[in-house]
Amino acid sequence: MHGKEHTPREIKVGVLGATGTVGQRFIALLSRHPYFIIHALGASQRSAGKKYTQAVNWKQTSPVPAQVRDMVVKECIPEHFVECSVVFSGLDSDVAGEIEEAFRHAELAVFSNAKNYRRDPAVPLVVPLVNSSHFAMIPQQRAQHSPPLKKGFILTNANCSTTGVVVPLAALEKAFGPLESCMITTMQAISGAGYPGVPSLDIIDNVVPYISGEEEKMEWETLKILGGISEGDEGLKSFDMHDKHPLRISASCNRVPVIEGHTECVSIRFARRPPPSPQQVREALTAYTSDAYALGCPSAPRHTVFVHEEVDRPQPRLDRDYQMGAGVSVGRVRQCRVLDIKFVVLANNVAIGAATSSILNAELAVVKGIIS
Amino acid sequence: MHGKEHTPREIKVGVLGATGTVGQRFIALLSRHPYFIIHALGASQRSAGKKYTQAVNWKQTSPVPAQVRDMVVKECIPEHFVECSVVFSGLDSDVAGEIEEAFRHAELAVFSNAKNYRRDPAVPLVVPLVNSSHFAMIPQQRAQHSPPLKKGFILTNANCSTTGVVVPLAALEKAFGPLESCMITTMQAISGAGYPGVPSLDIIDNVVPYISGEEEKMEWETLKILGGISEGDEGLKSFDMHDKHPLRISASCNRVPVIEGHTECVSIRFARRPPPSPQQVREALTAYTSDAYALGCPSAPRHTVFVHEEVDRPQPRLDRDYQMGAGVSVGRVRQCRVLDIKFVVLANNVAIGAATSSILNAELAVVKGIIS
Amino acid sequence: MHGKEHTPREIKVGVLGATGTVGQRFIALLSRHPYFIIHALGASQRSAGKKYTQAVNWKQTSPVPAQVRDMVVKECIPEHFVECSVVFSGLDSDVAGEIEEAFRHAELAVFSNAKNYRRDPAVPLVVPLVNSSHFAMIPQQRAQHSPPLKKGFILTNANCSTTGVVVPLAALEKAFGPLESCMITTMQAISGAGYPGVPSLDIIDNVVPYISGEEEKMEWETLKILGGISEGDEGLKSFDMHDKHPLRISASCNRVPVIEGHTECVSIRFARRPPPSPQQVREALTAYTSDAYALGCPSAPRHTVFVHEEVDRPQPRLDRDYQMGAGVSVGRVRQCRVLDIKFVVLANNVAIGAATSSILNAELAVVKGIIS
Amino acid sequence: MHGKEHTPREIKVGVLGATGTVGQRFIALLSRHPYFIIHALGASQRSAGKKYTQAVNWKQTSPVPAQVRDMVVKECIPEHFVECSVVFSGLDSDVAGEIEEAFRHAELAVFSNAKNYRRDPAVPLVVPLVNSSHFAMIPQQRAQHSPPLKKGFILTNANCSTTGVVVPLAALEKAFGPLESCMITTMQAISGAGYPGVPSLDIIDNVVPYISGEEEKMEWETLKILGGISEGDEGLKSFDMHDKHPLRISASCNRVPVIEGHTECVSIRFARRPPPSPQQVREALTAYTSDAYALGCPSAPRHTVFVHEEVDRPQPRLDRDYQMGAGVSVGRVRQCRVLDIKFVVLANNVAIGAATSSILNAELAVVKGIIS
């Protein structure tokens, strides 16, 4: 992490879904943030009106931060958040659609972890270590609204498994040109399913080789994130879904008895012939730097991709907290007998895979002047 | 399981490495076998001379079978096993090479779980649900010995991960012709590493994305098993390693916190265009019957491959004991965006992946008249 | 397990809560029962009308038994169960109270796993390996009903943790006279909490030192079970709660990441001075035989209490399935520096701790002629 | 943690057993210490001569600290450590006896985690949050040596389970006078057994109700720590083993599938009648402050004993890292029906239960002027 000279003094932020798993992580991270100040907490009607410590079933390994202990939780309606320049949403997808739209309509900047707007053609799906260029869609999103918005917008981050794999893929496309195909098998942590989430009877001494909707998300979101923005006849922008260089992605998603940290076995084929060597791949991954870091976002990791040399790393328990989980680990870069190159990716699903990405996106929005 | 009318009355068998993990499973299975009778137990010098219950650190979930409780453990030298028509070896690879050779030399039929002779050009590597035709190499193996052997031979079964994947692959090649490529990502149980094996500190709340030598074994053994036997100029036979239809295999092997049952995500490409549909694949897998079952081997499972229809199966904890772990489970058969078809395989690594395969191989040898 | 000559041919039974965790275990056990025949399955309105395989989320390690696969699930109302001589209830306590009462009122014999009637002064709380004498309360229970019942009654079994500890305590009181105090610390399996039950995020790599209501249940139920039946002035019977020899019980209950099998560390003080030696305790535990076994109940274990000699046993994973989980394991019998004797108990919470106990109770009722 | 004004600038320290589990934790903690500077690393001959990163199989969740990465590991002989004012020993007990004696003989101050000298009548067994008064034995220890030592001594900390329970016991004896009896049932983490330690096959989905030698250690060490120092006729001091108020302790030790953090269920009886109430106990525990904190030791926790009010805490996964694991957590303080009061203790076995205690002991030695 590093800061920059010209960072803002203080920016008030709100957290929606503040008592949930992602909401708790938002609060833990924001309580130590250099300029985001937690100003309002939103949750369901059942929690509204209670002090945060009474409303929450706190499951983090650090205590409830002092500044929110006695904060009164509010309902998720825009009136309670008007003073917030940024609203982080950890809402579940069954309520996120309506609430986030209401907040955008009320001219609030919403950074969402929910899946609801990821496929919206006017909403950027931003992995902050990869495609901050997609912020360019925000003016069009505002303009399409009726009446046109001045400050409000919705920006989402990606599914936690997508985030892990898309960072090294972006680094490799940057270095070696377009990819042609990509096979991914995930071993995902239980925290990816929220709380109460996965019943212990289903996962202790077990693997569940299925996560509802996950493979489709990975196969679709990756294309939106790795793709660019095209401009049509009348100046209308659209996400190009990597369509100039069709990229075939096949994902197999599994749940394993790991608390935190998604491990993914990835194999890729480059368009370029001959493909780069494993050593060239390692170097390109190590050399890759995110815009977020270059622009001085305080939550950006120094090593966007950390490449392990040990033969048996990365491992979720040992490596998930490196750089506070804000970067991505890669190991076992080697040749693949079917495609070109294969490797193992580890990403902390609740840090870079969720709350940290939203916060980084908001930091990027600040740096880019989209939020003042 | 099913029996046949004309089975032998009693065949005396020995178990080498009787106190180890695989040896214990041999004993548990053989104690209930219709015609194999445990006659001699071999272990290291440290155990030799002790009663079995005193020599063993028994880790099975059923008690030590009554018939071996007081049996005196012997050293692994052929003299103690001369009355055995079959010798099952659960020896570790660091001692298996020499001991198994000594037993073969002493005219004993050795069914080995160790890796030492799997790559030997005269030793069949037999997954009993797949390539019992490779028994045809035994006469040549005996003939090459000096002096030629009359009864002795070594036959090995495959690595536990190889066994799981090779059964459905064989079924599909039988139905649809040769495969062209195969990507496999495994999630392997800790029991695959023996005892004490994987330290708990390494695997609780963790995934280890590396198992020494495992990927190489899977990529090589699969070719030997799925391949045929060629006959050269002078009538000399050799394993053809699937070389008429080159098959590219890429394996990524992971250890997960599961006690028993290897789960494998498999994606394949057929040579045939267009490839079969998922439904055709399901039907072919279900229809596949092993020689072992057709020939009436009592340990052969009725369903060689059991195809699950539920979206989230097979799972190791729930499905590993189906048919006493003697068959293979397949689920989630569906299209792959990179290759043709993908699916999930579950195989019980200590049953069909180890002891059960050796016993089935010995049953095949009995049926085929190789052992009398 | 053993049978007897004069067992009934066939007795039709129903299962309430047939899709739940306990209900599934009932069905798995009853499908192999020598004379209980599953005749009707009851579940919530949501399941009623569906075939069992469609209604259930089957979580057992054996497949759904053939005889219930296509059985249509019914609502839990007595009309659907009139042909059943026995009704096993695996209902949750939030609905068990009303439904079980309705079934009793309809002259059905209800064997319940729920806690609702355990404290009822007319309902026997029977651990079948301990206090089958409490069946003697049934006539009074029927008589108190208005109008008096001829066949209907409710009989409950105990909490799963209580069951484990009460068996060796009963054996020791039988051999050495009354106990004076008993300290128990439990390490309970997740299956004790049903499904979905304990969230995996709460228990992987963790211990939860609290189970709601559990300590109170253990401290109270043990007294009812170990106590006798007193007869008052007018011939009215009541449970004496061990009040002739006050017994102080202190329980500390913990949840641990174990799938099945409750482990309990127990320390006791006898009234008798000097107390028996550890060896005498071991012998008394081994010698103890249940009425259920003596009377030929087919589900009764041959070894009511199995005493382990190995220093590190019993262990849930290795010992929970011994005798199909129908007995209780005890190990590490040794002196206690504070009380007299301490030892470790293991009981399979879903077998003897739940479904097996209900079935044994029903077998006892058959043998005793309470059910015809 | 807090510092003080008059702390020393820099004190050079050595670590014996630097590649082991405890050694790694020493290094992780010392790398951030305000005045202890890692100067020399000792390990077995096999590691000697290698750079630390090459010698160690690093298993901590933070990377190898920069200052030791390239440090060359030495053999554990005093010559290599002469410049160290403090030597921390994480040696295994099979070698600790001889090596630690050699270091003491060479006038080095040895702070040991091994059990070898804990029962030595001249060696203090110090839990730094409890009995820093036992440092008073050091002059006598030096004097007994031939020739008398000027600087050398050995001081040990306690077994990890003992440490957890002895802190609240000391607090309660301080507030309410002597205890009379204490029953303890532990649920201990796998890291307490070092690396490779507990095989995963032994502990996943399991409890092992036995840890060799552990119960004896807890029952004996607690008496030495809670006892005082008596002075005999000729001014000779001895540890009194709490013999003025005999204290009976009974421990039952279990291994559970938890990575870090020992949970202990404790029940106690006070000599004082009537005993204090649960609320008085809570207050006394909260009020207790260690000498180490009062004297400004930088590694001392602000809350020696943190008392949880939530009904289901402490839990190892959630609470073990509070205050960097340097304090002890207590929860569920309530009445016991057999003794007086019962509660749950959680102590981080690798922090306060091992390395942190040694470092705190060394800080105490600095503050007390025993080390200069």
Side-chain angles (χ1 to χ4, degrees), chain A residues 59 190-191 194-196 198-205 257 259, chain C residues 59 190-191 194-196 198-205 257 259:
Chain A
K59 294 283 178 182
I190 54 173
S191 51
Y195 184 86
V198 183
S200 54
L201 273 172
D202 279 345
I203 200 65
I204 288 181
D205 183 21
I259 291 176
Chain C
K59 294 282 177 183
I190 54 172
S191 51
Y195 184 86
V198 183
S200 54
L201 273 172
D202 279 345
I203 200 66
I204 289 181
D205 182 21
I259 290 176

Side-chain angles (χ1 to χ4, degrees), chain D residues 145-162:
Chain D
H145 202 270
S146 156
L149 296 167
K150 287 177 192 156
K151 293 163 56 188
F153 66 89
I154 294 174
L155 185 139
T156 75
N157 50 1
N159 176 272
C160 47
S161 312
T162 309

Side-chain angles (χ1 to χ4, degrees), chain A residues 12 38 130 200 253 329-330 365:
Chain A
K12 289 178 181 162
I38 303 174
V130 171
S200 54
C253 293
S329 286
V330 168

Side-chain angles (χ1 to χ4, degrees), chain C residues 28 35 40-41 71 98 115 121 141 159 164 177 200 239 246 267 277 296 303 325 338 345 358:
Chain C
Y35 54 76
L41 302 178
M71 208 174 265
E98 217 165 307
K115 67 178 178 190
Q141 183 189 147
N159 176 272
S200 54
F239 298 108
S267 188
S277 70
H303 304 287
V338 171
V345 176
S358 272

Side-chain angles (χ1 to χ4, degrees), chain D residues 344-365:
Chain D
V344 176
V345 176
L346 173 74
N348 186 316
N349 55 297
V350 287
I352 191 61
T356 303
S357 271
S358 272
I359 292 173
L360 264 170
N361 278 337
E363 291 173 5
L364 279 164

Side-chain angles (χ1 to χ4, degrees), chain D residues 117-118 120-126 131 134-138 141 153-157 224 239:
Chain D
Y117 292 100
R118 287 186 194 150
D120 187 307
V123 172
L125 173 59
V126 180
N131 63 324
H134 287 200
F135 274 85
M137 186 62 84
I138 290 175
Q141 182 189 147
F153 66 89
I154 294 174
L155 185 139
T156 75
N157 50 1
K224 182 166 179 180
F239 298 108

Side-chain angles (χ1 to χ4, degrees), chain A residues 1 303 306 308 318-327 329, chain D residues 61 63:
Chain A
M1 322 291 134
H303 304 288
F306 183 83
H308 292 261
L318 297 178
D319 300 313
R320 63 194 169 201
D321 287 331
Y322 179 58
Q323 302 186 111
M324 293 179 66
S329 286
Chain D
T61 57

Side-chain angles (χ1 to χ4, degrees), chain C residues 17 27 68 71 83 149 158 165 190 197 211 233 236-237 263 326 345:
Chain C
I27 287 168
V68 299
M71 208 174 265
E83 293 179 35
L149 296 168
V165 78
I190 54 172
I211 301 173
D233 304 343
L236 266 185
K237 290 172 173 164
T263 309
V345 176

